[in-house]
Amino acid sequence: MALNLCPHPLHVLSVSSERSQMGILRKNSPLLISLQNLGGQSSPLLQSYSHGGSAFVSRAVKEEQTQSYGSAETEISETNPSSSKLVLVVGGTGGVGQLIVASLLKRNIKARLLLRDPAKAKSLFGLQDENSLKIWKGDTRNPDDLDSAIFEGVTHVICCTGTTAFPSRRWNGENTPERVDWEGVRNLVSALPETIKRFVLVSSVGVTKFDELPWSIMNLFGVLKYKKMGEDFIRNSSLPFTIIRAGRLTDGPYTSYDLNTLLQATAGKRRAVVIGKGDKLVGEVSRLVVAEACIQALDIEFTEGKIYEINSIEGEGPGNDQEKWRELFKAAEEN
């Protein structure tokens, strides 16, 4: 059954005692470990071919997640200016989405979440001041849920919804690729106001080759085809968009474990970022890298109207340095 939009947003207030009255996020708050340094101890790899899809968890999960980011030992600066952005994150409790939300809060960027299960967000992000985070109950598969009030004041949107590529329990309640990756994206894009400054969609490599091996195996139940249909609908809309096609996702999802511990995981040695175009990349990418790429794309003007593929490999990465990300995106344009 589709979820009905509640008449008022479910405000989440103050992150327990670890958040000051100034709204500054402290070093050990849930889901607020810095994403700026994708370095440190190798994290468990939870491999999934679908964004938010089923993952096969290594036994090393609890053995390899003890090393924190170098930045985790430093409090967020209280001089961080409040951003004028208001970012709507759709799919904000999934493997990539929760990292996006955490990073937005760390950056003092206001976020709004559209979720089928608001209680899940509260368990992940704790209690937040309503000026930092508001949660709306709604389902992109149901156009009637997408009330215009949800989008009031929103300047940017990041959509990272998804389901499993193959039938699983997550398909219960019509949570199939057709309903999520096609109909849900179409409904969301159709409901957004023209004032949106950027719409970023997380998609998948291989969407243009879903009828070719080996992609046709992954597409047995249509996941790549429906993701491509969602992409095409965005491209044909009037919204300023950026599409990030991720390789096979690693590092997470972190929803099934203690987040205070798991968010200390890093991209291990695979911190370097490779960005391409033309659906030519084949490989894997850390969810941490995908989350950062989405946030960076919001402010890099020449990524508007573009589609990129992204992988991560061994080497030093850009962290959250915008100039380095600009160089990576620009290099993809020139190749």
Side-chain angles (χ1 to χ4, degrees):
M1 180 179 293
L3 298 174
N4 293 321
L5 181 69
C6 63
H8 302 288
L10 301 177
H11 299 159
V12 198
L13 308 173
S14 157
V15 181
S16 70
S17 61
E18 294 177 309
R19 182 182 177 93
S20 72
Q21 293 180 351
M22 295 291 292
I24 303 303
L25 305 174
R26 299 300 183 180
K27 60 184 178 182
N28 292 321
S29 298
L31 272 172
L32 300 177
I33 298 298
S34 171
L35 303 179
Q36 67 185 10
N37 179 11
L38 301 179
Q41 178 71 26
S42 176
S43 67
L45 300 184
L46 303 181
Q47 298 183 350
S48 172
Y49 280 101
S50 60
H51 301 104
S54 63
F56 298 93
V57 185
S58 165
R59 288 188 302 171
V61 165
K62 293 188 177 180
E63 298 173 1
E64 295 186 344
Q65 38 73 12
T66 57
Q67 176 74 27
S68 64
Y69 292 119
S71 57
E73 298 303 318
T74 305
E75 293 186 357
I76 308 291
S77 170
E78 296 196 10
T79 61
N80 276 358
S82 178
S83 170
S84 60
K85 293 192 198 73
L86 173 53
V87 182
L88 173 68
V89 183
V90 186
T93 58
V96 171
Q98 62 184 274
L99 295 169
I100 290 172
V101 175
S103 191
L104 291 173
L105 294 174
K106 182 192 75 88
R107 286 166 156 93
N108 207 15
I109 296 174
K110 292 179 289 185
R112 185 171 296 173
L113 306 186
L114 176 63
L115 299 170
R116 302 175 201 169
D117 182 8
K120 187 175 181 180
K122 185 175 180 180
S123 68
L124 283 174
F125 306 116
L127 296 176
Q128 292 283 335
D129 185 275
E130 64 179 48
N131 292 321
S132 299
L133 182 67
K134 289 185 179 180
I135 302 168
W136 286 83
K137 183 178 181 180
D139 188 338
T140 57
R141 299 173 302 174
N142 183 5
D144 292 338
D145 279 7
L146 303 179
D147 189 275
S148 61
I150 296 172
F151 312 115
E152 184 175 348
V154 170
T155 58
H156 300 75
V157 179
I158 300 176
C159 179
C160 45
T161 54
T163 186
T164 56
F166 300 95
S168 70
R169 285 181 296 179
R170 290 196 59 196
W171 281 29
N172 293 346
E174 298 185 26
N175 197 48
T176 63
E178 181 177 10
R179 295 300 312 280
V180 175
D181 294 311
W182 161 229
E183 295 178 16
V185 171
R186 179 194 64 195
N187 294 338
L188 176 63
V189 170
S190 299
L192 290 173
E194 295 182 356
T195 54
I196 296 297
K197 296 180 179 180
R198 187 69 63 89
F199 181 98
V200 176
L201 175 72
V202 178
S203 185
S204 172
V205 298
V207 294
T208 67
K209 300 177 285 189
F210 61 80
D211 56 350
E212 305 172 15
L213 285 172
W215 308 105
S216 57
I217 297 173
M218 180 180 169
N219 191 57
L220 282 174
F221 295 90
V223 65
L224 294 178
K225 179 182 75 173
Y226 292 123
K227 284 183 181 293
K228 182 61 164 60
M229 290 171 65
E231 285 189 10
D232 290 343
F233 193 83
I234 294 167
R235 291 175 58 242
N236 293 325
S237 74
S238 60
L239 291 177
F241 70 87
T242 304
I243 296 172
I244 304 292
R245 292 173 176 165
R248 184 174 64 183
L249 294 170
T250 68
D251 299 318
Y254 302 118
T255 51
S256 298
Y257 297 90
D258 176 68
L259 293 169
N260 281 312
T261 303
L262 281 174
L263 279 179
Q264 296 175 25
T266 73
K269 295 181 179 180
R270 303 176 66 88
R271 300 187 296 271
V273 176
V274 178
I275 298 179
K277 297 192 70 178
D279 206 3
K280 299 175 182 178
L281 286 186
V282 178
E284 60 186 24
V285 60
S286 168
R287 284 178 171 84
L288 298 162
V289 169
V290 177
E292 187 63 33
C294 290
I295 294 173
Q296 293 291 339
L298 296 177
D299 293 318
I300 300 178
E301 66 286 348
F302 63 80
T303 64
E304 180 181 329
K306 305 293 177 58
I307 301 174
Y308 301 95
E309 292 83 46
I310 187 166
N311 281 349
S312 53
I313 59 175
E314 287 192 14
E316 294 302 315
N320 63 5
D321 187 317
Q322 187 176 87
E323 286 307 309
K324 292 180 179 179
W325 279 97
R326 291 180 69 91
E327 292 171 6
L328 286 166
F329 280 115
K330 180 62 71 175
E333 295 287 331
E334 296 171 353
N335 293 335

